[in-house]
Amino acid sequence: VPAVAQGGGTPAGDDVIVLGEVGALTGGQATFGISSRNGIALALKEANAAGGVKGKKLVVRVYDDQSKPEEAAQAVTRLITQDKVVLILGEVASSSSLAMAEKAQAAGVPMITPSSTNPTVTEKGDFIFRVCFIDPFQGFVMAKFARENLKLNKVAVLQDNKSAYSIGLTEVFRQKFAELGGKITVTESYSQGDTDYRAQLTAIKKTQPEGIYVPGYYSEVGVIARQARELGLKVPLMGGDGWDSEKLFELGGSAIDGSYFSNHYSPDNPDELVKKFIADYKADYNGAVPDALAALAYDAARVAIDALKRAPDTSGPALRDAIAQTKNFPGVAGVITLDAKRNAVKSAVVLKVADGKASYVTTIAP
Ligand code: PHE
């Protein structure tokens, strides 16, 4: 796994504070890792321009986990034992964050995942934090939207059985949709990396659902959308934050049009803080509009920097305590107050896919 020093490329020394980052820079979730890296780099650049922290510059060591939980866990071990980082940012995919959290907690090094939503991630221990909402809420959001906005009565589910995120979200959606008076016709499964979903989609079609919930990641969802349409399944697809990637539109083409997913952030937000973030991000990354991953990673890095400033020193326990005290922190993906379980409680947005982009539909509060 190649390590890349960012934020000036300064080597570790007494004049710098070294942070660690683990992300999927290659593999099936590569856009997640790249967007997150960009958001973190922007936050560090701004902090360094404003004088750094405790008179020191911030640098970040980044490891690519190739979208694999085992690699993510190994990267954490390297960050802690070789690079001696004071804090770790990452991952996006909950399965990878779970593998990392185990190591970070055991070593007493604080970890902040910007975007992993499976509830068990922060249950790994008191050194593990997140700046996003969790899936019991996200699953409720789409169940409510499906029942109340789309007025669906019968929905099928297609889950990724290799992803803790997808399995968790499936469970919550099934339960909430039923509680709201809807019926789940069938639940089918695939494994991350599969390319042929026709058998599952054919089984789903037989149950005549009015919609299909597909809480997976964009690499698979784009292909699933195409194959569903090929098989004559015309009903709306619905999903969660794992759909958030430019690649979804490339892979899904017009087959993904008319679908909906829940997410953390919409660049359509007219808030001043959000507008400034989008402008600064575009300036640094060739005009790219930041997605939710970039926004949450930027927020996670800024929460970490804020804690570094407030903590009496950069030891693990001091940083842990400072992060835990994060209150009313103005993030670009919503205001962050960490609760006793080290999670943020925030609203979700629902986006609609049409013509190669996702547009804001509504906000659902917890
Ligand atoms: N919430 C997803 C997970 O836990 C990761 C994700 C977040 C993906 C935001 C895209 C956008 O696995």
Side-chain angles (χ1 to χ4, degrees):
V1 226
V4 191
Q6 295 200 334
T10 328
D14 284 347
D15 52 341
V16 294
I17 294 176
V18 189
L19 309 183
E21 176 187 343
V22 181
L25 300 175
T26 57
Q29 296 140 31
T31 70
F32 293 167
I34 293 165
S35 290
S36 305
R37 185 188 60 188
N38 292 349
I40 290 168
L42 178 60
L44 259 63
K45 187 182 98 170
E46 289 174 2
N48 284 333
V53 173
K54 300 189 188 331
K56 299 180 182 193
K57 291 274 181 231
L58 297 164
V59 296
V60 59
R61 296 232 184 282
V62 188
Y63 285 90
D64 173 19
D65 61 29
Q66 304 157 43
S67 306
K68 296 176 192 158
E70 320 80 68
E71 293 288 333
Q74 273 192 36
V76 167
T77 301
R78 287 197 194 134
L79 285 170
I80 294 171
T81 58
Q82 295 173 12
D83 301 315
K84 315 264 186 247
V85 300
V86 298
L87 178 153
I88 295 166
L89 297 167
E91 230 261 14
V92 172
S94 289
S95 293
S96 292
S97 286
L98 282 165
M100 289 168 60
E102 199 90 48
K103 307 275 180 195
Q105 178 67 31
V109 174
M111 167 179 147
I112 308 177
T113 167
S115 42
S116 286
T117 46
N118 185 280
T120 60
V121 173
T122 45
E123 289 167 12
K124 290 282 176 191
D126 59 345
F127 282 86
I128 317 299
F129 301 85
R130 84 179 98 217
V131 296
C132 56
F133 55 62
I134 56 176
D135 286 334
F137 172 63
Q138 179 167 214
F140 159 76
V141 164
M142 195 43 81
K144 183 176 154 80
F145 185 80
R147 285 295 291 152
E148 293 175 7
N149 297 60
L150 302 178
K151 313 248 183 262
L152 304 184
N153 297 310
K154 301 188 327 180
V155 167
V157 182
L158 180 53
Q159 72 168 355
D160 173 354
N161 64 15
K162 267 202 185 161
S163 151
Y165 157 75
S166 190
I167 294 166
L169 211 40
T170 292
E171 194 185 313
V172 182
F173 180 86
R174 284 168 48 100
Q175 190 198 325
K176 301 287 179 194
F177 192 70
E179 269 172 33
L180 294 167
K183 184 178 182 302
I184 301 294
T185 63
V186 70
T187 301
E188 291 285 329
S189 300
Y190 63 89
S191 282
Q192 214 163 93
D194 284 356
T195 51
D196 186 351
Y197 308 91
R198 291 178 183 89
Q200 296 93 319
L201 290 166
T202 301
I204 285 175
K205 194 180 174 194
K206 287 206 183 98
T207 69
Q208 301 184 315
E210 297 161 0
I212 310 171
Y213 189 55
V214 195
Y217 295 139
Y218 65 91
S219 288
E220 286 83 16
V221 172
V223 182
I224 288 168
R226 271 190 204 272
Q227 292 180 3
R229 301 318 180 209
E230 275 164 29
L231 290 169
L233 268 166
K234 299 263 156 41
V235 298
L237 305 184
M238 297 166 283
D241 52 0
W243 285 28
D244 189 15
S245 171
E246 279 294 311
K247 290 264 184 233
L248 178 74
F249 313 119
E250 217 175 289
L251 293 167
S254 61
I256 196 81
D257 280 357
S259 299
Y260 299 86
F261 65 102
S262 51
N263 207 356
H264 305 262
Y265 143 102
S266 162
D268 301 336
N269 189 335
D271 184 271
E272 281 309 317
L273 189 69
V274 178
K275 282 207 297 209
K276 183 181 183 305
F277 165 66
I278 293 173
D280 293 344
Y281 189 93
K282 279 182 164 174
D284 276 11
Y285 302 109
N286 283 318
V289 176
D291 55 17
L293 288 316
L296 287 169
Y298 177 77
D299 286 351
R302 287 183 60 238
V303 163
I305 293 162
D306 178 63
L308 277 161
K309 286 182 182 158
R310 285 186 285 108
D313 58 69
T314 60
S315 68
L319 282 177
R320 173 200 58 195
D321 293 347
I323 299 166
Q325 280 154 20
T326 302
K327 257 195 203 70
N328 298 322
F329 187 87
V332 292
V335 175
I336 299 158
T337 295
L338 294 180
D339 66 14
K341 291 179 162 176
R342 300 168 299 282
N343 301 318
V345 179
K346 299 155 105 185
S347 295
V349 294
V350 176
L351 306 178
K352 179 177 186 170
V353 182
D355 304 321
K357 63 182 174 59
S359 307
Y360 176 82
V361 178
T362 187
T363 301
I364 299 185

